[in-house]
Amino acid sequence: EAVVAGFDFLFKVFEHERYKRKYGYNTSDHRQRPLAAGSPVPGYFANVGGESIYRRKFLSIAGLRNLIIYGPTIYTQMRDKLFSGKPSDYVGDVGPHLMKTMTGNVVDLDETVLRCSDRGALVGINAMNAHRRKAAMAAKDKGFEGFTDEPLHPEYAGTHDFSASAQAAAIAATAAQNSIDHFVEIMGIGKDNEAAKAKRNLIIDKKAVPTYTLQSKTGSQPTFATNFTPVILATNNADRGNAALWHYVNCGMDSFHANVPHMADVNGALLKAPFRCAEYWFQLLALHGPYNGSSSVLCDPEVGFTGEASAEFLEHLDAFFEDCVADSCFNQKWKAIEAYGESLAHEGTVVDVLQRLQVANQALFDYGDEEDEAVITQKDIDTMWPLANGRVGKAAATASPGSPTAGHKKVVTRLITKDDVEAWVKNPAIVI
């Protein structure tokens, strides 16, 4: 309930005119607004036009809040189907269907193994092929036959040429098989259980893996016949999950996908994302908001963001809505939350808070001509403690003996103590 209440407050803050202006709020954003936790969230398309960024972020917050309630249920229903990406494997409002209903979007249950529309990847492939052709020419000049295992691949003119090539098919099949083997292992399916793998569509068609037949060794290089059948081409969500490997081309995207999810993303998106997002939201309020002794911040849990706020608070608030709340699929939502959390590794620690206080109150630490180190140290402690008293910061703590993680270090947000101040003054490089 406390986490849901935190999201309720988050909604109220996001409804401030500052964010409506920034993210293109319009009157159509009033439609079917999800105001209650646990209610269905209207569907939306991630990162595309047709509706405002404000609406997509608003619905993203609603979806994250609902995952607090439905996340474990959705996860269990997907797990029971071995996280199948085939929509027809889920009968009724369960699994991905329930997620779509309650969050407005879904988590991807496949893994991108080759992104052909990535120009950077094409540059790398062409460079590799050029190096191989150069090596073959050098071998030929020295009297060797050249490479006889497979043909020398060309320099591709564009991403579509590459995606249609045997080389792309071979790369995709190899990467997909690696992902499938890992999934089979962690899910306990059994690498030799062909029936179970076939039922879950985890067997790559052998015809999709290119083979080469040497035809002639005459000329500057051997020539080959290339044999392979292109994998199924998916153009919408209904086409996915019907094969172990498929090719997806739509809206400028050109990629190959393995029929298994990246489990770290699924675990993060469904089980961790809402709680991490709430954790960083509470941390922002505790470290920079009205509950940290800054009376200039007019932000009330009952009515939201009500007036002018300190520049520091607005800076952190803007970064939170921009970087932590992503208007994307839930895989990317989780990655955004992770990246935002990593950016806060030092920010908000006890040491960081004390450092900021010292910089903001530099004049108070000027003791004139005093040179005695012991006296200066004590004066620093006596000056800093009133500034730090009542403030909070992140610090390392050891899990209690009775907990599942007994003895392990964890990070908690707590009140700064006088012992912290004394330890930091005596050793500014300390990690608390």
Side-chain angles (χ1 to χ4, degrees):
E1 291 183 3
V3 180
V4 171
F7 271 102
D8 292 341
F9 182 35
L10 176 56
F11 271 122
K12 292 172 183 175
V13 174
F14 191 59
E15 287 179 318
H16 191 267
E17 286 300 320
R18 178 183 184 88
Y19 299 106
K20 289 183 177 180
R21 289 194 302 269
K22 181 175 181 178
Y23 294 117
Y25 173 88
N26 57 61
T27 54
S28 66
D29 292 332
H30 286 288
R31 296 172 304 175
Q32 298 178 286
R33 292 178 62 197
L35 299 179
S39 64
V41 176
Y44 62 96
F45 293 99
N47 294 322
V48 297
E51 52 192 353
S52 72
I53 296 175
Y54 180 87
R55 177 171 173 78
R56 295 200 301 268
K57 283 185 176 282
F58 191 95
L59 296 177
S60 294
I61 296 170
L64 286 167
R65 180 179 64 179
N66 272 355
L67 282 180
I68 296 169
I69 303 169
Y70 295 103
T73 298
I74 294 168
Y75 185 91
T76 301
Q77 292 169 346
M78 289 181 177
R79 185 186 61 196
D80 290 344
K81 296 294 182 179
L82 295 176
F83 298 98
S84 172
K86 187 177 180 180
S88 60
D89 281 346
Y90 301 90
V91 180
D93 202 17
V94 300
H97 305 314
L98 178 60
M99 186 174 187
K100 181 71 172 180
T101 298
M102 290 302 169
T103 72
N105 213 288
V106 294
V107 63
D108 289 336
L109 293 176
D110 57 79
E111 185 173 353
T112 303
V113 292
L114 179 61
R115 200 177 299 278
C116 298
S117 50
D118 183 348
R119 296 290 304 184
L122 179 63
V123 170
I125 291 293
N126 278 339
M128 180 182 69
N129 290 347
H131 176 77
R132 194 167 187 271
R133 290 194 301 273
K134 184 177 180 180
M137 291 298 105
K140 190 70 174 179
D141 290 342
K142 294 180 180 180
F144 297 102
E145 290 183 342
F147 297 131
T148 58
D149 55 339
E150 65 178 79
L152 295 174
H153 298 293
E155 178 178 350
Y156 300 105
T159 57
H160 292 302
D161 291 336
F162 172 54
S163 72
S165 70
Q167 187 176 19
I171 294 172
T174 301
Q177 190 62 62
N178 182 69
S179 295
I180 290 171
D181 289 346
H182 178 65
F183 181 80
V184 166
E185 180 182 358
I186 63 174
M187 295 302 296
I189 295 173
K191 64 179 182 179
D192 298 322
N193 191 340
E194 297 300 311
K197 289 193 291 184
K199 182 179 179 181
R200 177 56 177 77
N201 287 330
L202 296 179
I203 299 177
I204 297 175
D205 186 350
K206 292 181 180 180
K207 295 179 181 179
V209 183
T211 59
Y212 307 100
T213 304
L214 181 64
Q215 289 186 318
S216 173
K217 294 184 180 181
T218 61
S220 61
Q221 282 297 314
T223 58
F224 295 80
T226 302
N227 307 290
F228 80 101
T229 302
V231 297
I232 183 175
L233 180 65
T235 57
N236 56 58
N237 288 338
D239 295 335
R240 299 183 174 200
N242 294 308
L245 171 65
W246 69 87
H247 189 181
Y248 180 73
V249 180
N250 194 19
C251 296
M253 297 300 296
D254 190 337
S255 50
F256 287 85
H257 299 256
N259 193 28
V260 293
H262 187 245
M263 287 307 300
D265 287 350
V266 176
N267 294 338
L270 285 170
L271 303 178
K272 298 179 183 178
F275 297 98
R276 289 285 176 83
C277 184
E279 175 188 346
Y280 299 143
W281 173 239
F282 292 145
Q283 178 180 310
L284 187 158
L285 295 176
L287 296 175
H288 307 290
Y291 314 111
N292 202 22
S294 178
S295 60
S296 63
V297 180
L298 302 180
C299 199
D300 188 282
E302 296 299 321
V303 295
F305 194 40
T306 60
E308 294 300 319
S310 69
E312 179 189 15
F313 181 58
L314 286 177
E315 177 184 346
H316 287 88
L317 203 57
D318 290 349
F320 177 85
F321 286 123
E322 181 66 25
D323 300 327
C324 192
V325 180
D327 60 324
S328 59
C329 69
F330 273 87
N331 302 65
Q332 295 304 315
K333 277 183 175 58
W334 167 238
K335 290 183 185 298
I337 292 170
E338 274 193 305
Y340 178 80
E342 290 172 1
S343 73
L344 302 180
H346 175 67
E347 183 178 345
T349 62
V350 169
V351 171
D352 177 54
V353 173
L354 296 178
Q355 289 171 338
R356 290 172 180 268
L357 285 172
Q358 186 183 47
V359 171
N361 299 275
Q362 194 63 51
L364 298 178
F365 294 86
D366 183 359
Y367 309 127
D369 297 329
E370 181 61 62
E371 296 181 355
D372 189 305
E373 289 295 330
V375 172
I376 292 175
T377 296
Q378 189 57 51
K379 283 181 175 291
D380 281 346
I381 294 171
D382 294 341
T383 303
M384 179 59 77
W385 173 234
L387 298 173
N389 189 14
R391 300 262 180 178
V392 297
K394 295 186 297 183
T398 302
S400 59
S403 71
T405 57
H408 290 259
K409 290 290 184 180
K410 61 179 181 178
V411 176
V412 298
T413 300
R414 60 167 175 77
L415 285 169
I416 295 174
T417 67
K418 192 170 184 179
D419 287 342
D420 295 330
V421 173
E422 291 178 355
W424 176 75
V425 168
K426 293 175 181 177
N427 179 17
I430 193 173
V431 176
I432 297 178

